[in-house]
């Protein structure tokens, strides 16, 4: 019996041992398979594979379909039609699997009620000008009765009568030319062509010169190639009756809530405290400008003041023809609607890449802005396909569809004000595309630490205008350089402004454009885009590819792809150029010393990044090192902000890039220094020189602070 019991125990132990061995083999095999699957998954979602699959998935037809839907009706901010476009964007984001919500604000908008303009001729006759854009054959959109009349929002209502004066492009130097030639602008109605500066600066300059009203027209010289190639719909050029609407405000955001978000129950300042335009103003067509210019006397305008209207010559005036101009508009607080979509990151959900475009248009927005909106929806569709395959980014990407940009960057500004603390703590970068396509050539602008990434990405995208070249190749050739010319973002021309100038978030602004003749007119519709802007939607695909590839790197690279060495080199070149403009007693040594510190800090952090990039460690300590390094890269740009803001615009706080004092759209380096320099040159005394030197020290301190952030140099 004992023998049988012993044999049973031995057999049981043997079976248990076999099961243990079998389990161990299974465990080892399972681990090996798990590792293999992880490797396969890692390979599947590698940066290279993501890039290839993203570009391969882009569709001309899809983008064309988005654009067609977005441009079915005119959709000015605050109108039911624009809320319909918000719903379409919302549903498109959701269809891609993206978490989506609305972000509404209540802001002051302006609409026209009545306009009239009459030319009073010396012989006593009166000519009433039409103030109407004419429908064109073959484009039914141009007959849509819901298109808003031509106007400038926020200008005062009233009636004025005055002799006409021609002021060229309405720049400060143009009004100075009139003064030097003895043409008195006070009490006159100024006629100026648009094309060199922001339309709001034209109106402000006219008011400063004493005019009672400003009329702004699109000259065929600037918008129709002097009429030598015909007009839309037979060519791309603006028809004679075409008019460029647009804001003339010199501020950004809702003017009743300056510096804080315009939520329903927000504090609002009195209208008398706002910076509204001071004189009546209206955009008019070349067709309506022609009889006004023909009726002017006075001196013949200088050669570079002559335009493309069929006149023997342009004259300055004053008079003898007079203009009787009446305008009535309303101001109303009304809701606007941003649409925000989000794909949360798996590893760093609290680090945000933001991609955005505005949705509201003055008419149909075939190019501005709906070409950009179509591309935004296309990249959302591309990332949505990845989501459905199980992909998730390391960091969060936020898709932003802004409202009321055309009225003064309102939707984006209010949203930034509402989320400012979170954005300054968490936002990596903002990529803006306004109109993605308005012409044949790529134009990329950004803050300098982003330059290298943009050049790398454009080398990977096929140029839609060439069989063999990349976008990068054609971009270089356009400027006849070995490297492309990358513009800077000092002006306030689009929604990047609040992100960079108020929150210090590194930013891009991307588009295809050279000339865009139907800008803000009745004729900016789907048919113009299909006929002339981008018939095969290949440029739209290129912009979508660049936008998507940049995004992939920001949300998936282990190390955020910033290079502050580029920033330091750009700043050094800017200081060298600045030095030649300064009085001899002004010292730029503080700036050069600070830039040297920034260059050293950039080399140091680049070396750290290289070491971490080659490390195979997945330890918590390595992850923390990467996180710390990325935070330093992310936060360095914030050092360029002055909490008090610029003297010329306290809401704009960026000391490195800002708008010029003469053009809201113009960009310049060191805006505070530039203003102090202008004042010093105008009044050469000790006080203005002292202010100028102080501004140089202020910028030098900001650059030094950025260097310390990068180098983790905590004192």
């Amino acid at each position: 019996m004992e023998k049988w019991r012993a044999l049973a125990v031995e057999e049981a132990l043997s079976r248990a041992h076999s099961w243990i061995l079998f389990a161990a083999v299974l465990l080892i095999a399972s681990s090996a398979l798990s590792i293999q699957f992880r490797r396969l998954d890692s390979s599947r979602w590698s940066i290279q594979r993501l890039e290839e699959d993203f570009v391969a998935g882009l569709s001309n037809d899809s983008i064309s379909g988005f654009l067609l839907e977005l441009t079915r009706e005119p959709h000015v901010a605050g109108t039911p039609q624009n809320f319909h476009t918000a719903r379409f964007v919302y549903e498109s984001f959701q269809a891609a699997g993206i978490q989506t919500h609305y972000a509404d604000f209540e802001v002051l908008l302006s609409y026209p009620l009545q306009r009239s303009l009459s030319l009073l001729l010396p012989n006593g006759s009166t000519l009433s000008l039409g103030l109407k854009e004419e429908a064109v054959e073959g484009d039914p959109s141009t007959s849509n009765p819901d298109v808003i009349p031509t106007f400038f929002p926020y200008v005062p209502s009233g009636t004025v009568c005055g002799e006409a004066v021609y002021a060229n492009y309405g720049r400060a130097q143009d009004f100075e030319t009139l003064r030097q030639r003895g043409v008195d602008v006070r009490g006159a109605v100024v006629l100026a062509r648009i094309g060199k500066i922001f339309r709001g600066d034209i109106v402000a300059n006219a008011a400063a010169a004493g005019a009672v009203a400003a009329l702004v027209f699109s000259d065929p010289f600037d918008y129709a190639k002097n009429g030598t190639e015909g007009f839309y719909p037979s060519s791309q050029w603006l028809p004679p009756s075409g008019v460029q609407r647009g804001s003339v405000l010199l501020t950004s955001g809702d003017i009743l809530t300056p510096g804080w978000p315009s939520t329903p129950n927000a504090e609002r300042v009195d209208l008398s405290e706002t910076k509204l335009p001071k004189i009546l103003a209206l955009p008019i067509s070349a067709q309506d400008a022609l009889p006004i210019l023909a009726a002017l006397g006075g001196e013949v305008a200088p050669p570079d003041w002559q335009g493309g209207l069929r006149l023997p010559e342009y004259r300055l005036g004053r008079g003898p023809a007079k203009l009787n101009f009446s305008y009535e508009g309303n101001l109303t607080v009304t809701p606007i609607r941003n649409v925000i979509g989000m794909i949360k990151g798996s590893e760093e959900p609290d680090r945000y890449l933001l991609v955005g475009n505005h949705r509201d248009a003055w008419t149909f927005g075939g190019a501005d802005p709906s070409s950009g909106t179509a591309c935004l929806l296309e990249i959302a569709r591309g990332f949505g396909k990845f989501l459905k395959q199980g992909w998730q980014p390391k960091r969060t990407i936020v898709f932003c569809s802004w409202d009321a940009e055309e009225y003064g960057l309102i939707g984006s500004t209010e949203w930034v004000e509402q989320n400012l603390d979170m954005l300054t703590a968490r936002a990596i970068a903002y990529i803006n595309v306004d109109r993605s396509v308005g012409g044949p050539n790529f134009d990329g602008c950004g803050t300098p630490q982003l330059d290298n990434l943009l050049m790398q990405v454009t080398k990977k995208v096929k140029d839609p205008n060439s069989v063999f070249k990349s976008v990068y190749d054609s971009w270089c050739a356009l400027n006849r350089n070995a490297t492309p010319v990358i513009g800077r973002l000092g002006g306030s021309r689009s929604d990047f402004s609040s992100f960079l100038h108020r929150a210090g978030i590194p930013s891009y602004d991307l588009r295809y454009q050279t000339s865009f003749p139907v800008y803000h007119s009745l004729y900016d519709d789907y048919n113009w885009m299909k006929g002339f802007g981008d018939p095969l939607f290949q440029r739209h695909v290129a912009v979508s590819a660049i936008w998507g590839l940049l995004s992939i790197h920001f949300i998936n690279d282990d190390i955020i792809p910033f290079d502050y060495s580029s920033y330091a080199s750009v700043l050094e070149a800017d200081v060298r150029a600045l030095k030649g403009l300064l009085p001899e007693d002004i010292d730029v040594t503080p700036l050069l010393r600070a830039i040297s510190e920034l260059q050293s800090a950039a080399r140091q952090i680049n070396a750290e990044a290289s070491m971490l990039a080659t490390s195979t460690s997945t330890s918590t300590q390595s992850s923390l090192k990467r996180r710390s390094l990325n935070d330093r890269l992310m936060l360095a740009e914030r050092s360029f902000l002055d909490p008090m803001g610029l003297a010329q615009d306290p809401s704009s706080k960026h000391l490195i890039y800002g708008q010029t004092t003469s053009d809201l759209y113009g960009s310049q380096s060191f805006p505070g220094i530039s203003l102090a320099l202008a004042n010093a040159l105008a009044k050469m005394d000790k006080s203005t020189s002292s202010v100028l030197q102080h501004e140089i020290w202020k910028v030098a301190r900001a650059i030094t602070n950025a260097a310390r952030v990068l180098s983790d140099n905590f004192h």
Side-chain angles (χ1 to χ4, degrees):
M1 184 63 116
E2 291 297 328
K3 180 180 177 182
W4 289 110
R5 186 180 291 117
L7 287 172
V9 170
E10 184 179 346
E11 184 177 354
L13 288 172
S14 177
R15 287 177 180 173
H17 185 256
S18 297
W19 278 109
I20 291 170
L21 286 174
F22 181 66
V25 170
L26 280 177
L27 182 61
I28 293 168
S30 175
S31 298
L33 285 170
S34 177
I35 292 169
Q36 184 64 23
F37 284 138
R38 283 200 298 271
R39 285 174 179 166
L40 287 170
D41 193 63
S42 175
S43 174
R44 181 186 183 191
W45 301 122
S46 68
I47 297 294
Q48 181 179 347
R49 183 67 181 272
L50 283 169
E51 288 182 321
E52 292 171 354
D53 288 356
F54 186 88
V55 172
L58 296 173
S59 166
N60 312 50
D61 291 339
S62 173
I63 296 172
S64 174
F66 286 138
L67 185 64
L68 180 61
E69 184 62 34
L70 289 161
T71 56
R72 289 191 185 281
E73 297 289 337
H75 47 283
V76 175
T79 64
Q81 294 94 327
N82 202 39
F83 279 89
H84 293 159
T85 65
R87 184 67 187 177
F88 177 67
V89 170
Y90 181 96
E91 291 173 348
S92 297
F93 283 170
Q94 283 204 319
I98 297 170
Q99 296 177 10
T100 309
H101 67 274
Y102 293 131
D104 292 357
F105 298 95
E106 294 183 2
V107 304
L108 188 72
L109 298 182
S110 168
Y111 304 97
L113 299 176
Q114 179 273 331
R115 311 154 303 136
S116 67
L117 180 63
S118 298
L119 177 63
L120 311 179
L121 297 168
N123 62 9
S125 63
T126 300
L127 175 65
S128 294
L129 301 176
L131 305 182
K132 181 177 175 59
E133 292 178 296
E134 297 172 357
V136 298
E137 187 177 351
D139 187 349
S141 292
T142 60
S143 301
N144 190 306
D146 293 330
V147 173
I148 198 165
T150 56
F151 82 118
F152 285 149
Y154 301 113
V155 299
S157 298
T159 299
V160 297
C161 185
E163 290 180 313
V165 171
Y166 173 54
N168 195 24
Y169 288 109
R171 299 166 295 186
Q173 62 262 40
D174 295 326
F175 284 100
E176 177 59 21
T177 297
L178 289 172
R179 188 192 67 78
Q180 291 174 358
R181 295 188 176 223
V183 181
D184 188 0
V185 177
R186 291 174 297 177
V189 176
V190 163
L191 177 66
R193 51 182 177 165
I194 192 166
K196 297 297 183 184
I197 62 173
F198 174 59
R199 67 190 79 83
D201 287 300
I202 298 174
V203 175
N205 291 339
V212 295
L215 304 174
V216 180
F217 74 101
S218 303
D219 195 293
F221 177 79
D222 302 292
Y223 292 90
K225 208 171 182 180
N226 282 328
T228 57
E229 296 180 355
F231 308 100
Y232 180 73
S234 62
S235 70
Q236 66 171 317
W237 303 108
L238 183 70
S241 68
V243 177
Q244 184 186 130
R245 302 154 180 79
S247 174
V248 291
L249 285 181
L250 298 177
T251 58
S252 299
D254 177 36
I255 60 175
L256 296 182
T257 59
W260 61 90
S262 53
T263 51
N265 298 315
E267 174 193 6
R268 285 175 167 79
V269 303
D270 189 79
L271 197 61
S272 62
E273 301 176 44
T274 63
K275 296 180 179 179
L276 289 171
K278 296 179 179 179
I279 61 174
L280 274 69
L282 187 73
I284 65 172
S285 66
Q287 186 169 278
D288 285 337
L290 176 61
I292 300 173
L293 284 166
L296 287 182
E299 284 188 43
V300 174
D304 59 347
W305 287 42
Q306 300 299 320
L309 290 172
R310 294 189 176 181
L311 292 170
E313 56 208 4
Y314 287 20
R315 290 183 173 269
L316 301 178
R318 172 170 179 158
K322 293 183 178 181
L323 289 164
N324 188 25
F325 172 31
S326 178
Y327 174 77
E328 182 184 358
N330 72 346
L331 293 169
T332 180
V333 174
T334 190
I336 62 169
R337 173 161 288 174
N338 298 330
V339 186
I340 308 297
M342 181 181 294
I343 300 175
K344 286 233 174 183
S346 60
E347 297 180 13
E348 293 185 283
D350 59 342
R351 292 293 177 263
Y352 307 149
L353 167 69
L354 302 111
V355 296
N357 153 270
H358 79 90
R359 192 184 64 257
D360 63 303
W362 284 120
T363 60
F364 300 94
D368 184 13
S370 298
S371 64
T373 311
C375 292
L376 180 68
L377 297 182
E378 182 67 3
I379 67 167
R381 188 181 71 87
F383 284 117
K385 287 193 294 186
F386 289 164
L387 282 176
K388 291 169 185 176
Q389 297 170 32
W391 169 83
Q392 192 175 3
K394 292 179 180 178
R395 304 182 189 95
T396 296
I397 180 170
V398 183
F399 301 86
C400 309
S401 173
W402 308 120
D403 201 354
E405 186 269 358
E406 297 291 8
Y407 279 86
L409 315 183
I410 294 178
S412 59
T413 300
E414 300 310 305
W415 191 82
V416 168
E417 288 173 346
Q418 185 177 51
N419 297 284
L420 185 60
D421 291 340
M422 192 173 293
L423 289 170
T424 54
R426 298 181 175 186
I428 296 168
Y430 174 68
I431 310 177
N432 188 70
V433 173
D434 192 309
R435 52 185 177 274
S436 62
V437 179
N441 299 314
F442 180 71
D443 179 23
C445 301
T447 44
Q449 75 274 58
L450 308 181
D451 288 359
N452 287 343
L453 179 62
L454 182 58
M455 289 189 285
Q456 291 168 18
V457 162
T458 53
K459 289 176 181 177
K460 300 175 183 178
V461 177
K462 181 186 176 299
D463 176 23
N465 304 319
S466 172
V467 176
F468 303 109
K469 292 182 178 179
S470 68
V471 171
Y472 177 85
D473 295 332
S474 297
W475 191 14
C476 293
L478 178 66
N479 297 289
R480 298 180 179 178
N481 287 334
T483 57
V485 174
I486 300 177
R488 301 303 168 207
L489 299 177
S492 298
R493 72 186 187 195
S494 192
D495 291 300
F496 61 79
S497 180
S498 289
F499 288 92
L500 178 60
H501 302 146
R502 299 190 185 206
I505 297 168
S507 299
Y508 283 122
D509 189 41
L510 311 172
R511 60 183 176 177
Y512 262 84
Q513 187 167 319
T514 298
S515 62
F516 174 32
V518 297
Y519 178 53
H520 286 184
S521 75
L522 170 66
Y523 312 103
D524 180 17
D525 60 14
Y526 181 86
N527 287 314
W528 182 88
M529 181 62 70
K530 183 71 174 172
F532 302 102
D534 190 15
L536 299 178
F537 289 85
Q538 293 174 324
R539 293 167 189 155
H540 286 78
V541 169
V543 171
S544 300
I546 294 166
W547 205 354
L549 297 188
L550 291 170
S551 299
I552 285 170
H553 284 281
F554 283 124
I555 60 179
N556 260 41
D557 282 5
D558 288 335
I559 305 299
I560 298 171
F562 289 176
D563 184 1
Y564 276 89
S565 292
S566 295
Y567 219 132
S569 297
V570 169
L571 290 178
E572 184 175 7
D574 288 343
V575 171
R576 301 292 182 193
L578 174 68
K579 187 176 180 180
L581 305 174
L582 296 172
E584 290 183 1
D585 61 334
I586 300 299
D587 183 14
V588 297
T589 303
L591 277 174
L592 294 173
R593 187 165 52 236
I595 292 168
S596 178
E597 291 182 43
L598 181 64
Q599 190 66 269
S600 296
R603 284 194 295 266
Q604 175 191 322
I605 200 168
N606 286 348
E608 291 179 51
S610 295
M611 289 181 63
L612 285 172
T614 57
S615 173
T616 57
S617 173
T618 58
S619 68
T620 301
Q621 185 177 11
S622 295
S623 297
L624 289 173
K625 283 183 178 179
R626 278 191 291 271
R627 171 80 170 195
S628 173
L629 186 144
N630 281 332
D631 283 352
R632 287 149 55 196
L633 289 167
M634 177 183 73
L635 295 172
E637 185 78 35
R638 318 285 200 265
S639 299
F640 298 139
L641 299 180
D642 181 354
M644 302 301 293
L646 301 175
Q648 60 267 47
D649 179 11
S651 70
S652 186
K653 304 179 185 302
H654 206 278
L655 294 173
I656 307 300
Y657 295 113
Q659 67 195 44
T660 67
T661 55
S662 60
D663 180 11
L664 184 80
Y665 285 170
S667 177
Q668 66 179 350
S669 301
F670 313 128
I673 295 175
S674 296
L675 177 63
L677 173 60
N679 292 336
L681 294 176
K683 183 182 178 183
M684 297 292 290
D685 61 21
K686 187 175 180 179
S687 65
T688 56
S689 293
S690 177
V691 170
L692 175 55
Q693 189 67 64
H694 172 69
E695 288 295 329
I696 287 174
W697 275 107
K698 185 191 294 186
V699 175
R701 285 191 290 271
I703 296 171
T704 297
N705 288 339
R708 287 178 177 168
V709 170
L710 287 176
S711 61
D712 207 15
N713 189 2
F714 184 67
H715 287 276

